[in-house]
Amino acid sequence: MARKILCVAEKPSIAKAVAQHLSGGSVNAVSQGNSRGGCGMLMPIKHSINGNQYVKNYDFDFSFSPPWGNCSVTMTSVIGHLNDLEFPQQYRKWHSCPPAHLFDAPVETIAYPDKKCIADNIARQARYSRALFIWTDCDREGEHIGSEVRQAALQGNSTIEIKRAQFSNTERAHVIRAAQNPVNLDDRQVNAVAARIELDLRLGAAFTRFQTLSLKTMGGDLEDRTISYGSCQFPTLGFVVDRYFRVQNFIPEKFWSIKVMQLRDDMEVTFSWRRHRLFDRMSVVILFERCLSARIARVSKLQKKPTSKWRPLPLTTVELQKLGSMYLRMDSQRVMKIAEDLYTKGWISYPRTETDSFDKGIDLRKLIEKQVQDGAWGGYAQGLLGGGFKWPRAGRNNDQAHPPIHPVNYVAPFSLTDDDRKVYEFVVRRFLACCSEDAKGESTTVEIEYGEETFFANGLIVLERNYLDVYPYEKWTSSQPLPRFNLNEVFEPTEANITEGETSPPGYLTEPELISLMDANGIGTDATMAEHIAKIKEREYVMTQPRVGGAQANGTNGRGGRGGRGGRGGGRGGTRGGNNAGGGGGGSVQQFIPTTLGVALIEGYDSIGLETSLGKPFLRKEMEIKMKEICAGTKSRNDFVQETLEQYREVFVTTQRQVEVLKAACRKYVFGERL
């Protein structure tokens, strides 16, 4: 029996890194049909496989765990998926059949023409191999790519044994451990992805052809435009449009409040009203006059207690995308591209993970030790090793595949590009902050009774910054200290006034807010959210613009105004200066504004009268839940596909009957016609 193991990674950079670690640096890079004798340190590669300049075959020896033992190894790679799912040729032209027929049309797996040489290379190498070790990324998509690698290998050797390496970073010890402890490919995950690919093809093609062919007859900008549909794309657009209408239909409301001020020890103390504010001016005037009549205020509560600002949880993909957009001023797709590059180069762990707690078996101190040499945060890392270390908080999520995102090796920031440095530095600082003590302080609350009303003032003193010293992305500062008050003492307030303000609308949706909505509603996975956001921008369903500042305070915080009559989502909004969903930001944080076509599509589908509009997240969320059931073994691939197709077929048939409603929305928003 052949004493050769074939290893196949998901991308050339991973193949190179794994080959270097397993070989100890002694490898041969060979081209197809061209073997170079001798061993030496990895040299620049002059030859690739026939047909692709990026994929290389690396030859070396490695001692695996039983039953394989010492074997010769060929390490190669794919470049993502080898195959695609398509309709047969007779269904591919737009007018070849009614769009509804695509729900039931046959489908076939075809090899990407530019990937055939890669599949042939795997088959050729498998012919002389005892086993195949798959080194694709350890997530659902990676498992499906692994199944394509398996299929290619079986074409060359029908008896080859199939295993997969489980790894989450390309650090040497981790890679060697993965090679020594292979597992089986998870066919449940393979089936879940295969089902999703089929549904995306059928639903995307059917609705895209229907929309495009139906709306192009309206002429103008729609005549030569492809109006694409995706089951994640439309709910993502729906969130943007919903916020847009909340802003547009917002009607501000005036409110009134009472503010009390006391001058003591040369310090002005402002007491806030416990009622916060009221929307009836006369009621506020009456209560204010009662306060003035009482003349004297009494200290009814005096509380001083320790308080903390919790250090952040370990980093997940969703948090990296949100915070990267917020603090690093990059869109989520750019952040993920950089994170993947840092991962393939061996600087950070696998950046696609839902896990927000570290396994007790990970030596976090060893990872911290690697950061001691840095000029910016090395001293802080040394302090953690010298006694400041604390095991990170544990979140509620664990994908059972990958640890939280963390630095694996140290790289000098000056050797990275500016954007790469920002992402790497954020990952390192977040990790060090996780391993630190919470920030600690002391809060003081003074509560007074003035007439029949209650007012309060708060003070904060930050005593120990702890994690904040290495994590500048969060702020926690001391307020002006409160002067001394005594329980039950009475005094006459220096000043009391009625203040007036006005509610303000929420801001347009920012990328961190959009990612949060997608995550909460099950739209896409942590690995695909950035792609869906990029897609609605590419299709020109939305545009982005910098959010310049935010709505300014025009009074105290409180409830929002009422939406316009007949408007969408015209519920309660935010307050100027308050912590509303659209507040904050500034700098170059991007906000999403739907285009006229984006508004028309969502408004049109919402107006058709569907039980579940395509612009809402519910259908797609249900798909994600069912895919997890396939992974758990409680639902079959076929049942999931058929159930989902029937749900969407009902929507499709109703939309066909009500297509004039969709066209009316386009006339209103795209062409600006009055209806």
Side-chain angles (χ1 to χ4, degrees), residues 85-93 96 105-108 110 201 209:
L85 193 69
E86 255 298 357
F87 295 110
Q89 195 64 44
Q90 63 268 32
Y91 292 93
R92 293 183 193 173
K93 292 185 178 180
S96 60
V107 292
E108 58 187 16
I110 60 171
L201 170 65
R209 290 189 193 182

Side-chain angles (χ1 to χ4, degrees), residues 528-557:
T528 61
M529 288 177 190
E531 297 170 16
H532 301 316
I533 293 172
K535 184 64 69 177
I536 62 173
K537 291 194 287 187
E538 177 190 322
R539 295 300 185 190
E540 297 182 353
Y541 294 159
V542 301
M543 56 185 178
T544 59
Q545 64 183 32
R547 171 178 283 182
V548 182
Q552 297 302 309
N554 195 23
T556 55
N557 298 345

Side-chain angles (χ1 to χ4, degrees), residues 18 45 47 82 157 269 293 296 350 358 361 393 430 486 494 549 563 604 627 658 660 666:
V18 171
I45 298 168
H47 303 285
L82 292 171
N157 181 352
V269 182
S293 298
I296 298 299
Y350 188 59
F358 281 103
R393 294 166 55 206
R430 174 73 172 226
N486 297 307
T494 305
M627 278 193 280
Q658 300 288 327
E660 288 304 319
C666 289

Side-chain angles (χ1 to χ4, degrees), residues 311 380 388-390 433 435-440 465-467:
R311 62 215 165 113
Y380 188 89
F389 173 81
K390 188 170 184 180
C435 299
S436 305
E437 290 275 1
D438 297 336
K440 297 178 181 179
R465 287 178 50 80
N466 294 330
Y467 85 88

Side-chain angles (χ1 to χ4, degrees), residues 91 96 121 159 164 203 206 245 261 282 299 347 364 380 493 564 573 591 615 643 650 657 673:
Y91 292 93
S96 60
N121 178 55
T159 63
R164 83 107 72 231
L203 301 177
F245 275 110
M261 194 271 285
M282 187 53 65
V299 177
W347 306 131
L364 299 185
Y380 188 89
Q591 59 186 10
E643 288 171 10
E650 185 178 336
R657 288 199 302 260
E673 297 179 11

Side-chain angles (χ1 to χ4, degrees), residues 6 67-68 131-135 146 150 160-165 181-185:
L6 172 61
W68 298 284
L132 166 69
F133 279 30
I134 296 167
W135 290 78
R150 174 177 62 186
I160 192 169
E161 188 172 359
I162 312 293
K163 290 291 181 179
R164 83 107 72 231
N181 298 278
V183 298
N184 293 325
L185 203 63

Side-chain angles (χ1 to χ4, degrees), residues 244-245 568 595-597 599-601 603-604 664-673 675:
Y244 170 79
F245 275 110
R568 297 165 45 91
T595 62
T596 55
L597 178 57
V599 172
L601 290 171
E603 182 76 352
C666 289
R667 281 193 290 271
K668 178 180 178 181
Y669 293 104
V670 178
F671 298 103
E673 297 179 11
L675 303 180

